[in-house]
Amino acid sequence: MQATPLGATVREFRDRSGPSFVRIDVLLLLAVLGLTACSLYTIGEATRGEVAGSPHHFLYRQIVFVTIGICLMLGISRLDYTRLREWKAQIYGVLIAGIMLVFAFSAVTNGSGRSIELGFFELQFSELGKILLILALSGVIVDRVRQIGDRRTTAVVMLLALIPALLVISQDLGSGMVYISIALVILFVAGTPWTHFAALGALAATAAAIVLIGAPAVGVEVLQPYQQDRLTAFLSPSENPANKGYQQLQSQVAIGAGGKTGRGDQATQTKFDFLPEHHTDFIFSVVGEEFGFMGAALVLSLFALLIWRTLRILTMAKDLFGTLIVAGVLAMLMHQIFINVGMTIGIMPITGITLPLMSYGGSSVIATFIALGFLQSVHAHARETAFAKGRDLVI
């Protein structure tokens, strides 16, 4: 009996399954759409009437960002992600070049230059850079998989991550820390020995001591003053409630005032602008005040579904490159969710990081949807490969 070529089997799978839409992870898509709906409703309620003559200014713009993001997600889900492995060097080059362009043409916002003004919205390249870093590091590790236990491999990967991370930290502390988390999780999933992580932890502790204690003692300020304030204010926000601790205290007041079911139109912290950045960094605080514990629980449940499906795709990936891409996206999502929610309730420092799919902002929304598109691409190719090998892949 003549064997059926793999390509013909994959085409048969596509013919049977119909449009490529049915090959995506439906539960992941439902989580994404649910979070997007929560975001649009919350932003609409929180920013109503903030712009004179355009009561739904932020809502309409967010709808445009979401529409673009969904189209990109569905388009990327149909791409063969494995081809990007050959372009790792070029992808890394684009990452560095994009960050340097921000230094040259950035618009100063809240004391830092982190974005490029493009008219309709401000491009925050550090958001897109997360995706580029994931693709580049995944390709590098796949090429060095036989030397994954070699200290030089770990050093090369961390150096490739630290270069853009340090550049971004000078613009955006929160995004720069995400870069480091991405590198660490990708190394972990690739099978890096635990001794390497212990050494990296010791180096990180030493570096933190130098940056926060040693350098300022000799008159060298590595971090900008507002970045230092954000890192330290959460330890004792009540000591300076009108300045350093203001944001964190107002966020906790907003969430506490929401109770079980929220205050709705009586959400004074949001309506009267006591809560700063309520449509971006502190969107979860708005959810807590306006919709209470029930609203916050719904949002966190949708995030739990999103993370579960990401982990499921991680186990389904047909190759190491796909596995590492998913691991990088997982690190990006979990880091941002944990830090953002943590800073709103006072257990993490304020680093200006957005809540994925919830916070207002074109760069953040579009970058997140691009990452989700790669998750869907890995999922689709895993299903195709399993079908070609005669296996029934449990969804």
Side-chain angles (χ1 to χ4, degrees):
M1 182 177 179
Q2 187 176 4
T4 304
L6 178 60
T9 309
V10 169
R11 286 193 295 272
E12 180 186 355
F13 170 80
R14 290 174 174 170
D15 292 340
R16 286 190 186 182
S17 61
S20 60
F21 176 80
V22 302
R23 296 185 293 118
I24 68 177
D25 189 315
V26 177
L27 290 176
L28 177 65
L29 180 62
L30 288 176
V32 170
L33 295 179
L35 287 167
T36 301
C38 291
S39 171
L40 294 176
Y41 187 79
T42 304
I43 290 173
E45 289 294 308
T47 63
R48 185 185 305 166
E50 287 196 2
V51 178
S54 180
H56 302 294
H57 173 80
F58 292 102
L59 174 61
Y60 291 156
R61 289 168 66 91
Q62 187 77 347
I63 290 173
V64 173
F65 299 147
V66 167
T67 302
I68 294 172
I70 290 176
C71 291
L72 287 173
M73 179 184 69
L74 295 178
I76 292 173
S77 70
R78 302 186 62 178
L79 295 179
D80 183 0
Y81 66 89
T82 59
R83 297 180 182 274
L84 295 175
R85 175 185 166 188
E86 304 171 2
W87 294 85
K88 58 184 179 297
Q90 291 86 342
I91 290 172
Y92 189 80
V94 171
L95 167 62
I96 300 299
I99 295 173
M100 298 308 295
L101 283 175
V102 175
F103 281 104
F105 303 103
S106 62
V108 177
T109 303
N110 293 334
S112 64
R114 63 179 68 177
S115 59
I116 301 175
E117 180 63 52
L118 295 180
F120 180 71
F121 80 109
E122 294 180 355
L123 173 63
Q124 193 170 344
F125 191 84
S126 59
E127 296 289 343
L128 300 177
K130 299 170 188 174
I131 314 301
L132 299 178
L133 182 67
I134 290 170
L135 297 174
L137 293 186
S138 298
V140 169
I141 290 181
V142 170
D143 287 348
R144 291 171 168 262
V145 66
R146 294 183 182 276
Q147 295 85 37
I148 195 62
D150 191 334
R151 288 176 295 180
R152 287 175 295 182
T153 299
T154 302
V156 166
V157 172
M158 288 307 302
L159 179 62
L160 290 174
L162 283 172
I163 292 173
L166 293 175
L167 292 173
V168 169
I169 284 174
S170 65
Q171 307 167 356
D172 182 358
L173 178 62
S175 293
M177 298 306 294
V178 177
Y179 282 45
I180 297 174
S181 292
I182 287 171
L184 291 174
V185 171
I186 288 179
L187 282 171
F188 175 78
V189 172
T192 301
W194 70 268
T195 52
H196 293 194
F197 290 106
L200 290 173
L203 289 174
T206 303
I210 293 173
V211 170
L212 297 177
I213 301 174
V218 296
V220 179
E221 298 292 343
V222 179
L223 297 178
Q224 297 184 35
Y226 80 94
Q227 292 177 326
Q228 296 179 28
D229 291 344
R230 286 182 170 184
L231 285 174
T232 58
F234 86 103
L235 296 175
S236 54
S238 58
E239 286 187 5
N240 195 348
N243 189 8
K244 297 179 182 180
Y246 178 80
Q247 292 177 309
Q248 205 138 48
L249 285 175
Q250 294 300 325
S251 174
Q252 293 177 46
V253 169
I255 294 175
K260 294 181 180 179
T261 57
R263 304 181 68 187
D265 292 336
Q266 304 301 315
T268 55
Q269 296 297 110
T270 300
K271 301 297 183 184
F272 297 146
D273 288 334
F274 289 109
L275 181 64
E277 309 294 341
H278 51 254
H279 60 307
T280 54
D281 298 355
F282 290 91
I283 190 73
F284 188 76
S285 305
V286 178
V287 172
E289 183 182 23
E290 295 211 5
F291 312 111
F293 173 81
M294 299 301 293
L298 172 62
V299 170
L300 293 178
S301 296
L302 289 170
F303 276 126
L305 177 59
L306 177 67
I307 296 302
W308 170 53
R309 293 315 300 171
T310 304
L311 287 168
R312 181 70 185 108
I313 296 172
L314 179 69
T315 64
M316 291 168 53
K318 70 175 184 177
D319 54 25
L320 179 61
F321 186 56
T323 300
L324 297 179
I325 289 176
V326 178
V329 174
L330 176 66
M332 182 186 83
L333 293 174
M334 291 193 68
H335 182 108
Q336 293 189 211
I337 293 168
F338 180 77
I339 296 297
N340 183 276
V341 174
M343 75 183 192
T344 63
I345 61 178
I347 64 172
M348 296 298 294
I350 297 174
T351 56
I353 204 165
T354 57
L355 189 59
L357 299 175
M358 286 292 296
S359 295
Y360 170 84
S363 298
S364 174
V365 170
I366 291 173
T368 302
F369 273 110
I370 290 174
L372 295 170
F374 280 109
L375 292 185
Q376 296 288 11
S377 177
V378 174
H379 176 271
H381 283 79
R383 291 194 63 189
E384 289 178 357
T385 303
F387 179 82
K389 296 178 178 180
R391 296 201 305 263
D392 185 16
L393 194 61
V394 178
I395 301 303

